[in-house]
Amino acid sequence: MTDLSDSIESVRQLAAGWRTMVLDRDAGADVRDLPGIAVRWADCRFAFWNCVTLTDVGAGADLVGERLRQAADIMRAKEHPGFLWLFEDLLTDEARAALTTAADEAGLQYAFPGTGMAGDLLPIPEPAHPELTFVRVATDEHLRAYADINSRGYGFPLEDGRDGLLGSVLWKKDVHAYLALRDGVPVACAATVETDGRLFVVLVATDPQWQRRGYGEAVTRKALHEGARATGLTRATLHATVAGAPVYPRIGFEPNSPIRFYGLKA
């Protein structure tokens, strides 16, 4: 059975980590903790920095329906699109059964699935890959490459990813962000950041033409290794997409709550 404490940890890691990321992008961003809803919305072109999530634990169908309507209203008031992150294990069975209808009535459409994961897995050995070298993000050029890999990996226009990351001091200083280079060309990236006593893995991506070669796993191991070495933390968390879900258990992560991502109906 899923450990509910891990699922609660997962939504709290999102709220804490995204507070840091969104305020780094825009010090005046909409960062609010409302009853049952955490708003973390930079209102920029990079959709991952535009986030709302439900935070009630054990919410029933009526309350979830109300929260979905409130979240959709918040999203409609913004200039740029983003996502509602919904952690399924925080809902009652009744609320889960009614979720598809409730989201539709709120004006939300299902976008894609994810999975929360965590593990007491640090430290890990320094990784090596015969085709890769690793470099820490420290310059604007590095940050642009990191943004572009994410845009290609997640199917965003290049300018969207750049709008989310370019100009950040945080990502060049406090985030343990790494590029994987093949013959000097950036092909994959991963980052970790200290978040509420955990090492939070964020924005892992591989350029589509270089996927399924172990590059994403290798650079994630590098970010975890260096982040743990710098912070001394032993527990790590992340939110995986379908592509990443089979990779992270090999590193030592264990799945917790399924996540549903929703956008507004067109």
Side-chain angles (χ1 to χ4, degrees):
M1 292 180 63
T2 300
D3 184 344
L4 189 58
S5 65
D6 285 351
S7 299
I8 294 170
E9 173 191 50
S10 194
V11 71
R12 289 177 176 172
Q13 283 282 285
L14 173 65
W18 253 234
R19 172 186 289 272
T20 299
M21 296 298 164
V22 166
L23 290 175
D24 170 65
R25 172 57 181 78
D26 180 359
D30 186 359
V31 175
R32 292 178 286 161
D33 291 297
L34 306 173
I37 300 175
V39 184
R40 304 289 186 266
W41 202 284
D43 215 9
C44 67
R45 289 182 56 172
F46 188 52
F48 283 138
W49 288 169
N50 302 332
C51 164
V52 292
T53 188
L54 306 192
T55 57
D56 293 305
V57 178
D62 289 344
L63 181 56
V64 169
E66 179 184 347
R67 297 294 192 228
L68 291 175
R69 290 190 293 272
Q70 293 171 331
D73 285 343
I74 292 169
M75 296 167 73
R76 288 190 193 98
K78 305 303 183 184
E79 179 181 358
H80 295 287
F83 296 110
L84 165 70
W85 300 45
L86 193 147
F87 292 75
E88 291 187 39
D89 280 356
L90 302 189
L91 311 183
T92 63
D93 290 343
E94 174 199 26
R96 280 199 192 193
L99 187 55
T100 298
T101 299
D104 182 67
E105 291 177 349
L108 296 165
Q109 61 183 8
Y110 180 70
F112 54 90
T115 308
M117 295 191 184
D120 297 303
L121 52 90
L122 302 171
I124 62 173
E126 183 166 12
H129 191 289
E131 300 171 3
L132 301 176
T133 57
F134 304 105
V135 61
R136 184 170 182 180
V137 171
T139 68
D140 289 338
E141 181 182 2
H142 291 158
L143 202 52
R144 181 183 295 271
Y146 199 108
D148 288 356
I149 292 170
N150 267 268
S151 293
R152 294 188 185 102
Y154 293 105
F156 296 142
L158 293 183
E159 288 305 319
D160 289 10
R162 293 171 184 176
D163 189 45
L165 291 176
L166 290 188
S168 172
V169 175
L170 177 80
W171 273 77
K172 292 184 287 186
K173 182 179 179 183
D174 295 328
V175 177
H176 304 279
Y178 283 84
L179 295 168
L181 309 181
R182 178 189 166 106
D183 298 326
V185 177
V187 294
C189 60
T192 59
V193 61
E194 185 172 358
T195 303
D196 195 23
R198 282 84 165 161
L199 205 57
F200 187 29
V201 180
V202 292
L203 298 190
V204 178
T206 302
D207 191 300
Q209 67 176 314
W210 297 110
Q211 290 174 357
R212 296 179 177 84
R213 298 169 184 257
Y215 294 172
E217 179 179 346
V219 72
T220 300
R221 287 180 178 274
K222 179 64 174 179
L224 284 164
H225 172 78
E226 297 296 346
R229 189 169 70 168
T231 64
L233 295 173
T234 59
R235 185 166 179 81
T237 61
L238 57 81
H239 302 112
T241 62
V242 169
V247 174
Y248 301 119
R250 298 200 292 263
I251 301 175
F253 286 93
E254 297 180 358
N256 46 69
S257 181
I259 306 168
R260 297 192 192 190
F261 291 80
Y262 290 91
L264 289 174
K265 288 183 183 178

